[in-house]
Amino acid sequence: MKALVCLIACALLASASAQEVFRWTDKNGKVHYGDQPPPEADAKAANLVKNRVSADGESFETRRAAQMAPLTLYTGADCKELCTQARDFLKKRKLPYSEQSITTPEQLAAFSRQSGQQTPQVPTLQVGTRYIEGFAPGSWGSAIDVAGYPK
């Protein structure tokens, strides 16, 4: 008898945890989560994965790392194969990044001053305040991991 009660309780808990969760923003800009959004709200289904709430597919860890150490990929017109490999590397890890193409001498001079590199090369990855010259998956991966991005 106890086993039957336990089995029924487990079935009820499993069905309760499988309910869909919605995310919406009210008129004051406050974000809400719930199993039923108000009728006037433009609610989106939110993914709950390992207690990480995400409405846009990005994990909490990714959003936090992007706030603390944003990623910027610097590319150039002559950088074909390596820049493609660099983009593919970042996309494969599903990392949010911005890309800046250095095409003019003025942009090159500004990038040189900003990065502290005498003769900057592309691709260069900026992780927060750190610049990593050239595409090196090992160095890039280590810097991204240290910045708190999930693997």
Side-chain angles (χ1 to χ4, degrees):
M1 183 66 173
K2 288 182 182 180
L4 180 61
V5 171
C6 184
L7 183 63
I8 291 171
C10 287
L12 289 173
L13 286 173
S15 67
S17 67
Q19 290 179 356
E20 195 165 22
V21 176
F22 295 93
R23 177 185 190 265
W24 68 94
T25 306
D26 66 17
K27 63 183 178 184
N28 297 325
K30 185 174 180 183
V31 176
H32 298 274
Y33 293 92
D35 59 351
Q36 290 195 347
E40 70 277 357
D42 181 24
K44 295 180 181 166
N47 298 324
L48 296 175
V49 180
K50 297 182 183 176
N51 294 328
R52 299 179 189 133
V53 178
S54 173
D56 55 6
E58 247 181 32
S59 69
F60 171 77
E61 289 88 348
T62 300
R63 286 193 308 268
R64 180 167 170 81
Q67 288 174 343
M68 302 300 288
L71 302 175
T72 303
L73 175 62
Y74 293 93
T75 60
D78 295 336
C79 176
K80 304 276 189 233
E81 181 65 29
L82 280 179
C83 287
T84 299
Q85 290 176 14
R87 280 186 211 94
D88 291 344
F89 174 82
L90 296 170
K91 288 176 185 174
K92 184 176 179 183
R93 283 199 56 175
K94 299 179 181 174
L95 297 169
Y97 70 95
S98 62
E99 183 172 334
Q100 294 200 4
S101 182
I102 301 170
T103 56
T104 67
E106 293 80 17
Q107 289 173 327
L108 182 62
F111 177 63
S112 181
R113 283 190 306 275
Q114 177 184 342
S115 65
Q117 300 170 2
Q118 294 296 326
T119 54
Q121 61 177 327
V122 290
T124 292
L125 180 66
Q126 180 182 1
V127 182
T129 58
R130 182 176 175 198
Y131 292 85
I132 306 164
E133 287 187 340
F135 176 60
S139 299
W140 285 27
S142 295
I144 290 166
D145 292 345
V146 167
Y149 288 91
K151 293 186 178 186

